[in-house]
Amino acid sequence: TTTTPPPPPTITTPIVICPGFFNDEIDYVEPLKQPREIGFVSALERRGFTNISIVNIKRSDWIRVAGGLLDPNFYFNKALPTGGGYGWYIARLKATIDAAYEESGGEKVLVIGHSAGGWLARAAMANGVWNESEGVKTADRVRCLTTVGAIHRPPVDLNSCATKGALAFTDREYPGAFLKEDGISYVTVGGDAVVGINSKSTDKFNDDREQADEVYKVRGEGSSAKVAYDSYEIVSGQNGDVTGDGVVPLEWTKLEGARNIVLEGVLHSINEAGTTVATDRWYGSEGVIDRWLPVVLEEAGLVEKKNTGKSGGLFGGFMNDLFKFDS
C-alpha cells in the first residue's frame, strides 16, 4: 500500500531570497511566465514555509550598476560593494531582512542568495555590525546564509573583474564563513552540470544539452559547452575547461568554513544561459530543492541530524518522508 506523506508543518522562520544579476523578483515566482506552481517560492510553500520575501528587484534596476561609473574607485578596481554600483541593492536587501524579521515577531532570517545575490548578501552582512547606531549585530537578524550558484571570489586577474573591486573587497574583508563564530551558519550549493569546452563543434561530452545546443548553434555560439567555457573563463580568469552550473565554475561557488554542497546535473538559473529556454533542473526547481534544503535546515538549527542520518526535532517526521533521507 502507498502511504501519503504527512502534511508539512507550518514553518514560520522567515526566508529572504536575494535575486541574481539581471534577475527580477518575478523569476522566483512565475519563471518565464510559467504557472506559479513551477516557481521557487511555490516549492518552498509546499514544504511549509509561510513567510517568504524576495528583495524587490526589477530587471530594469540593474542599469543602476552603471552608477559605479561615477565612482573614481571604479576605474582603479577599488569599488566598494556599498558604493554607487551595488549600494542600492544592499540597502534593499537589508531593508527586506529587517521587514521579514519584524513581521515574524523577531525571528532570525534564512537568507538565500542566488548567483550575484550570494556575494551581495555577504557584503550586506559585512563585519557583523548590522546597524551600528542601534547596536544591532548581523547575527541578531540572520540565522543562516545559503547561496546557490553564487560567485564567491573574483577572477585571478582582478583587473578583469566586472564588479571593479566590489567582489574582491567582499571576499578579502569578509572571507569564507566569516560570521560563523557569531552563530550564523553558511551553506553553499554549486552545480556540476556542464564541462566547458573551447570549441563550437557539437558537444558530445555533456548529456541532455540538445535543446539548448540547437539555440546556441543557430546564434553562432556553438554549444552550451562553449557558452559555459566562455562564462567560466570570465568568472575565474582561468581556462574554462572545468565543470560548473553552465555559468559559474563549481569551485567559485564554495566558501571555506561553509557546508559546501555539490549537485550533479544542476543548472544555474530558470533558463538555459542567455536564452529563454526554460529548465526544470536549476537550484530552485521542484526536483532539485530537496537535495539541498534539508542540509540548510540542519545547519540553521531547525532540525537535528541523528546518527542514522535522519532528521529529528520539530520537523523530523515530515523531513524524513519528504526529503527521503537514507538510513
Side-chain angles (χ1 to χ4, degrees):
T1 60
T2 302
T3 58
T4 302
T10 296
I11 306 175
T12 59
T13 301
I15 287 180
V16 168
I17 299 169
C18 310
F21 185 77
F22 208 62
N23 280 113
D24 186 299
E25 60 181 317
I26 195 64
D27 296 341
Y28 306 91
V29 181
E30 297 176 350
L32 299 172
K33 299 182 179 181
Q34 296 178 96
R36 190 180 187 280
E37 59 264 27
I38 300 296
F40 182 32
V41 168
S42 184
L44 290 170
E45 290 173 342
R46 284 191 290 275
R47 284 147 183 85
F49 287 94
T50 59
N51 187 352
I52 304 168
S53 304
I54 307 172
V55 181
N56 181 21
I57 303 293
K58 304 300 181 187
R59 228 173 301 282
S60 58
D61 287 331
W62 289 104
I63 191 66
R64 300 183 65 169
V65 172
L69 295 170
L70 302 177
D71 180 3
N73 289 323
F74 180 89
Y75 299 95
F76 297 98
N77 289 297
K78 294 183 178 180
L80 300 177
T82 52
Y86 299 97
W88 59 275
Y89 185 110
I90 289 177
R92 291 189 196 180
L93 190 160
K94 294 185 70 172
T96 306
I97 290 175
D98 281 336
Y101 173 84
E102 296 295 338
E103 290 169 7
S104 70
E107 190 167 355
K108 293 193 284 188
V109 177
L110 291 176
V111 179
I112 301 178
H114 172 228
S115 195
W119 73 263
L120 285 165
R122 289 171 61 203
M125 292 163 61
N127 62 357
V129 177
W130 187 259
N131 187 322
E132 186 171 10
S133 63
E134 296 182 6
V136 179
K137 298 179 180 179
T138 303
D140 296 330
R141 292 289 184 269
V142 178
R143 176 188 289 269
C144 174
L145 171 64
T146 299
T147 64
V148 294
I151 301 172
H152 281 309
R153 48 192 168 117
V156 174
D157 179 6
L158 296 182
N159 292 322
S160 67
C161 183
T163 72
K164 296 300 181 181
L167 173 56
F169 176 92
T170 301
D171 195 46
R172 181 179 68 250
E173 298 298 319
Y174 321 125
F178 189 66
L179 299 178
K180 191 173 183 178
E181 294 300 315
D182 289 2
I184 298 175
S185 51
Y186 289 73
V187 179
T188 74
V189 187
D192 177 6
V194 186
V195 174
I197 301 175
N198 191 21
S199 172
K200 290 187 177 182
S201 60
T202 301
D203 178 12
K204 297 181 180 179
F205 188 82
N206 297 289
D207 296 327
D208 302 321
R209 311 302 301 146
E210 292 81 5
Q211 185 179 11
D213 284 350
E214 187 62 31
V215 174
Y216 295 130
K217 182 179 179 180
V218 170
R219 298 195 323 196
E221 294 163 294
S223 68
S224 54
K226 172 58 175 171
V227 171
Y229 180 96
D230 292 342
S231 182
Y232 299 162
E233 188 174 51
I234 291 170
V235 170
S236 69
Q238 300 175 325
N239 284 339
D241 54 355
V242 295
T243 190
D245 62 12
V247 174
V248 180
L250 177 60
E251 291 305 310
W252 257 248
T253 67
K254 299 178 181 180
L255 279 176
E256 184 175 354
R259 183 84 174 265
N260 297 305
I261 302 172
V262 176
L263 298 182
E264 184 177 349
V266 174
L267 298 172
H268 184 74
S269 196
I270 61 173
N271 57 294
E272 296 282 355
T275 78
T276 56
V277 177
T279 177
D280 61 358
R281 57 188 183 107
W282 83 283
Y283 300 103
S285 297
E286 175 67 25
V288 174
I289 188 173
D290 297 343
R291 294 167 64 186
W292 58 266
L293 182 60
V295 176
V296 172
L297 298 186
E298 290 171 3
E299 293 297 314
L302 294 176
V303 298
E304 291 181 31
K305 186 175 182 181
K306 296 182 178 180
N307 292 334
T308 61
K310 294 185 177 182
S311 292
L314 181 60
F315 309 123
F318 165 66
M319 296 295 289
N320 294 330
D321 286 329
L322 180 58
F323 296 128
K324 301 179 179 61
F325 283 88
D326 295 328
S327 59

